[in-house]
Amino acid sequence: MIVLGIESSCDETAAAVLADGRRVLSNVVASQDAIHAPYGGVVPELASRRHLEMIVPVVEKALADSGVRLPDLDGIAVTQGPGLVGSLLVGCAVAKSLAYVHRLPLVPVNHLEGHIYATFLTDDPPEHPFLALVVSGGHTALYHARAPHEYGPVGQTRDDAAGEAFDKVAKLLGLGFPGGPVIERVAADGDPKAVMFPLAQMSDGAPDFSFSGLKTSVSLYVRRRGPLGRAEIADVAASFQAVVVKMLVRKTVKAALHHGVKRLVLTGGVAANGHLRQALEAAALEHGLRLHIPPRALCTDNAAMIAAAGTARLAAGARAPLTLNAIPDLALAR
Ligand code: KG4
Ligand code: ZN
């Protein structure tokens, strides 16, 4: 089965061709980082306009790179949500047009399930049941993947997403956008114990996350200390990153033990973070859990993961009518 995946939920315009749900024949990602960098975050209106400019060349390149012609496809998978509505609409419109013209099955994909399916593009895909930590710029949530396409809600952030916290703290430190990669780079020269930022605890013991208090602490620290030198910026970045990683690892392992699952999945843009990957790997080992993480390039937004989830959904008989619409707040768990 050969599937074209299309992803435009946030600020990456992406298309990929995937064979048999596993073999990535092409994977094209046009990043809008440079457009949003001056604002320190994604500007929705600019994002949708750029998607409009890029979507056709990106899809054409994905097809050309794969050597597959549109009529040879078995289906088209597109991100239906969650995401920015103006951005999602661009991908949905193109997917619907191609499906109509070439009489191809159309499959809607939940972006978060796409992130989880990035793990199925590795040589070591997870078996169900597993616990998935999806940690990105828009989401930070734990799901109990009981069986294929069956997700139970376990925990989520009560305020900012972890990636959003990285982006905001990078802005506070004058490090640029996106914040995650630059904080990770700068933190490599810093001392993670230099500043004791608070780790949020849920008074009700829920496996939920919270990052806004941490972000405020960093903001107050920066304001109090005045303009920071290079070494101090590295210390703040390292200390902040350490707290985020600690919170994510602690809650994930606790939830896995509570749900009695033996497998963990770590995915989403923040899963590209080396410290998080190492810390969760170490904790998983300590507690006898198997951890599955996609390669870094498949952690951040891409369309190969959408094609992977779409292939699984297609095989299970999912089809969308050409009236398919974007759903900005599409939920994954029921
Ligand atoms: O999954 P993604 O590409 O888009 C969303 O679905 O949101 O995630 C983007 C987020 C951004 O907030 C970015 O700062 C963060 O992932 N990110 C990282 C790293 N690479 C990307 N966060 C921490 N460390 C990284 N290396
Ligand atoms: Zn994403």
Side-chain angles (χ1 to χ4, degrees), residues 100-119:
Y100 173 69
V101 172
H102 297 278
R103 301 185 191 287
L104 291 167
L106 178 67
V107 195
V109 170
N110 182 306
H111 180 81
L112 304 172
E113 182 169 60
H115 274 303
I116 291 172
Y117 266 79
T119 325

Side-chain angles (χ1 to χ4, degrees), residues 7 9-10 12 82 111-112 115 134-139 268-269 299-302 305:
E7 153 66 34
S9 66
C10 190
E12 261 91 29
H111 180 81
L112 304 172
H115 274 303
V134 183
V135 69
S136 72
H139 298 87
C299 286
T300 45
D301 286 352
N302 65 86
M305 68 185 198

Side-chain angles (χ1 to χ4, degrees), residues 173-250:
L173 296 175
L175 293 174
F177 174 86
V182 67
I183 286 200
E184 180 171 9
R185 209 165 46 244
V186 169
D189 297 327
D191 173 7
K193 294 200 175 80
V195 192
M196 285 297 138
F197 291 125
L199 193 152
Q201 305 281 356
M202 296 301 133
S203 52
D204 55 6
D208 285 343
F209 307 97
S210 167
F211 299 99
S212 70
L214 171 60
K215 180 197 65 195
T216 305
S217 297
V218 177
S219 167
L220 290 173
Y221 182 87
V222 170
R223 214 177 305 162
R224 215 170 36 236
R225 306 287 293 213
L228 303 184
R230 210 186 155 106
E232 211 173 355
I233 288 178
D235 283 345
V236 171
S239 304
F240 160 78
Q241 178 177 257
V243 175
V244 173
V245 167
K246 199 182 221 178
M247 182 177 341
L248 293 171
V249 169
R250 218 183 247 187

Side-chain angles (χ1 to χ4, degrees), residues 131-133 141-142 154 207 209 245-258 261 264-266 276 280 289 291:
L131 191 84
L133 172 63
L142 280 166
V154 172
F209 307 97
V245 167
K246 199 182 221 178
M247 182 177 341
L248 293 171
V249 169
R250 218 183 247 187
K251 305 250 162 154
T252 302
V253 169
K254 195 171 163 204
L257 299 177
H258 178 76
V261 295
L264 288 177
V265 158
L266 170 64
L276 177 57
L280 195 55
L289 304 164
L291 176 63

